[in-house]
Amino acid sequence: MITGELKWYTVATTLEAAVYGALTDSPDRHGVVPGAIAWDACDCGMLAVSIAQVYPSENFPAPQAAKVGACDAPYEVGEVVVQVIRCAPNAEGQSLYPTTAALDASARQVARDAHEALRAVSVRLCEMNDARDISDFLVRPQVIQGPQGGCVGSELRALVSLMRN
């Protein structure tokens, strides 16, 4: 079981490595980031993983609603966010809009990234659960994000349960 003060960082780095290794077109920028994931430079793409929240739970995945006896809940649940971001097509030359070919290529890239990220996270969490590194997990719906600020991509969230220590 993953434990210690850096247990959530360990979960995040494990998932980041799994997704990075699964991407057909791996971005140069990748890693675990604190807090909300900033889309500040997607000229070369970006894979970012963050822990959005952590909460006590007596019954995964529900947050603890009330104090349990004299002790806290036996589990902590962390919400892991995985984003794969690419550049969104922009207008070129005198055109006021991107070409349909550029939009199609972007849609293909985002779809491939989303599929590869979802598969990598699902497989790795299943392996971690089988190895009893984690207590349980639940992969949430994947959402396509953007385009915004010249970027487009996918966001995947997963709930992961660890024993409290």
Short mmCIF file of all heavy atoms in Angstrom, two decimals, residues 1-2 126-135 162-163:
data_model
loop_
_atom_site.label_atom_id
_atom_site.label_comp_id
_atom_site.label_asym_id
_atom_site.label_seq_id
_atom_site.Cartn_x
_atom_site.Cartn_y
_atom_site.Cartn_z
N MET A 1 0.85 -1.18 0.00
CA MET A 1 0.00 0.00 0.00
C MET A 1 0.90 1.24 0.00
O MET A 1 1.85 1.33 0.76
CB MET A 1 -0.90 -0.01 1.24
CG MET A 1 -1.88 1.13 1.33
SD MET A 1 -3.19 1.20 0.12
CE MET A 1 -4.02 -0.34 0.37
N ILE A 2 0.58 2.18 -0.87
CA ILE A 2 1.32 3.44 -0.92
C ILE A 2 0.97 4.23 0.34
O ILE A 2 -0.21 4.44 0.64
CB ILE A 2 0.96 4.24 -2.18
CG1 ILE A 2 1.37 3.46 -3.44
CG2 ILE A 2 1.63 5.61 -2.16
CD1 ILE A 2 0.87 4.07 -4.73
N CYS A 126 -5.72 -0.27 -12.45
CA CYS A 126 -6.11 -1.67 -12.25
C CYS A 126 -4.92 -2.48 -11.74
O CYS A 126 -5.04 -3.28 -10.80
CB CYS A 126 -6.66 -2.25 -13.54
SG CYS A 126 -7.42 -3.87 -13.33
N GLU A 127 -3.74 -2.25 -12.33
CA GLU A 127 -2.52 -2.93 -11.86
C GLU A 127 -2.19 -2.55 -10.42
O GLU A 127 -1.83 -3.41 -9.61
CB GLU A 127 -1.34 -2.58 -12.77
CG GLU A 127 -1.43 -3.14 -14.17
CD GLU A 127 -0.39 -2.57 -15.12
OE1 GLU A 127 0.30 -1.58 -14.77
OE2 GLU A 127 -0.28 -3.10 -16.24
N MET A 128 -2.31 -1.26 -10.10
CA MET A 128 -2.03 -0.80 -8.74
C MET A 128 -3.01 -1.40 -7.74
O MET A 128 -2.64 -1.73 -6.62
CB MET A 128 -2.06 0.73 -8.68
CG MET A 128 -0.94 1.40 -9.46
SD MET A 128 -1.18 3.19 -9.62
CE MET A 128 -0.73 3.72 -7.96
N ASN A 129 -4.26 -1.53 -8.16
CA ASN A 129 -5.28 -2.13 -7.30
C ASN A 129 -5.00 -3.61 -7.08
O ASN A 129 -5.08 -4.10 -5.95
CB ASN A 129 -6.67 -1.91 -7.91
CG ASN A 129 -7.78 -2.16 -6.93
OD1 ASN A 129 -7.77 -1.64 -5.83
ND2 ASN A 129 -8.75 -2.95 -7.34
N ASP A 130 -4.67 -4.32 -8.16
CA ASP A 130 -4.34 -5.75 -8.05
C ASP A 130 -3.13 -5.99 -7.16
O ASP A 130 -3.08 -6.97 -6.42
CB ASP A 130 -4.10 -6.36 -9.43
CG ASP A 130 -5.37 -6.52 -10.25
OD1 ASP A 130 -6.48 -6.38 -9.68
OD2 ASP A 130 -5.25 -6.75 -11.48
N ALA A 131 -2.15 -5.08 -7.23
CA ALA A 131 -0.94 -5.20 -6.41
C ALA A 131 -1.15 -4.68 -4.99
O ALA A 131 -0.22 -4.72 -4.17
CB ALA A 131 0.21 -4.44 -7.07
N ARG A 132 -2.34 -4.17 -4.70
CA ARG A 132 -2.70 -3.60 -3.40
C ARG A 132 -1.88 -2.36 -3.04
O ARG A 132 -1.66 -2.08 -1.86
CB ARG A 132 -2.64 -4.65 -2.30
CG ARG A 132 -3.61 -5.80 -2.55
CD ARG A 132 -3.56 -6.80 -1.43
NE ARG A 132 -4.36 -7.96 -1.75
CZ ARG A 132 -5.55 -8.24 -1.23
NH1 ARG A 132 -6.08 -7.43 -0.36
NH2 ARG A 132 -6.21 -9.32 -1.58
N ASP A 133 -1.42 -1.65 -4.09
CA ASP A 133 -0.77 -0.36 -3.86
C ASP A 133 -1.81 0.69 -3.47
O ASP A 133 -1.50 1.66 -2.79
CB ASP A 133 -0.04 0.10 -5.12
CG ASP A 133 1.15 -0.77 -5.46
OD1 ASP A 133 1.72 -1.38 -4.54
OD2 ASP A 133 1.50 -0.85 -6.64
N ILE A 134 -3.04 0.51 -3.98
CA ILE A 134 -4.15 1.40 -3.66
C ILE A 134 -5.31 0.54 -3.15
O ILE A 134 -5.32 -0.68 -3.38
CB ILE A 134 -4.60 2.23 -4.89
CG1 ILE A 134 -5.08 1.33 -6.03
CG2 ILE A 134 -3.45 3.13 -5.36
CD1 ILE A 134 -5.64 2.08 -7.23
N SER A 135 -6.27 1.17 -2.48
CA SER A 135 -7.42 0.44 -1.94
C SER A 135 -8.51 0.23 -2.98
O SER A 135 -9.17 -0.80 -3.01
CB SER A 135 -8.03 1.19 -0.76
OG SER A 135 -7.10 1.32 0.26
N LEU A 162 -6.73 5.39 -0.75
CA LEU A 162 -5.57 4.87 -0.02
C LEU A 162 -5.96 4.75 1.45
O LEU A 162 -6.80 5.50 1.94
CB LEU A 162 -4.37 5.81 -0.14
CG LEU A 162 -3.79 6.03 -1.53
CD1 LEU A 162 -2.70 7.11 -1.47
CD2 LEU A 162 -3.24 4.75 -2.11
N MET A 163 -5.31 3.83 2.15
CA MET A 163 -5.50 3.73 3.60
C MET A 163 -4.92 4.99 4.24
O MET A 163 -3.91 5.51 3.79
CB MET A 163 -4.77 2.50 4.16
CG MET A 163 -5.32 1.17 3.68
SD MET A 163 -6.97 0.82 4.26
CE MET A 163 -6.70 0.65 6.00
#
